[in-house]
Amino acid sequence: KELHVRPSQYIRQEKLKYGAYLLKNSTLNIADIAAFLSFPSASAFTVIFKYYVFFHIIIVNLTIEKSAAFFSLIGSKKLHIF
């Protein structure tokens, strides 16, 4: 399956997704999760995790804004489809 990302990026994303799951659904602390996911330290995990979450929040917000702008154009009939 083609993912359009490097294998190392894909692996990191999957580790971060699982890290988010563990943070929400387990009693493990950040240091234990970082070690379990093979990050060099809790600090490294935290920095990368914050970046990952921030990046995805921006992408989601931009997508929502673009969708809202598109639907407002349709609603105001400024966009002629035919």
Side-chain angles (χ1 to χ4, degrees):
K1 180 174 163 179
E2 196 166 323
L3 301 173
H4 303 290
V5 295
R6 293 189 305 260
S8 61
Q9 288 176 313
Y10 175 76
I11 291 168
R12 181 181 293 156
Q13 288 172 357
E14 291 303 306
K15 284 183 176 184
L16 291 169
K17 285 180 195 176
Y18 193 57
Y21 172 82
L22 291 173
L23 285 168
K24 184 177 180 182
N25 299 301
S26 78
T27 58
L28 295 173
N29 62 38
I30 292 174
D32 292 337
I33 292 171
F36 178 73
L37 297 174
S38 301
F39 281 88
S41 66
S43 176
F45 172 75
T46 302
V47 168
I48 295 168
F49 186 80
K50 285 180 183 178
Y51 173 79
Y52 173 79
V53 170
F54 179 74
F55 178 75
H56 283 85
I57 288 171
I58 289 173
I59 296 298
V60 168
N61 286 338
L62 289 175
T63 302
I64 290 169
E65 288 173 11
K66 286 180 182 178
S67 297
F70 175 75
F71 287 114
S72 70
L73 285 174
I74 291 174
S76 67
K77 298 181 183 178
K78 291 180 182 175
L79 180 66
H80 299 287
I81 298 179
F82 301 104

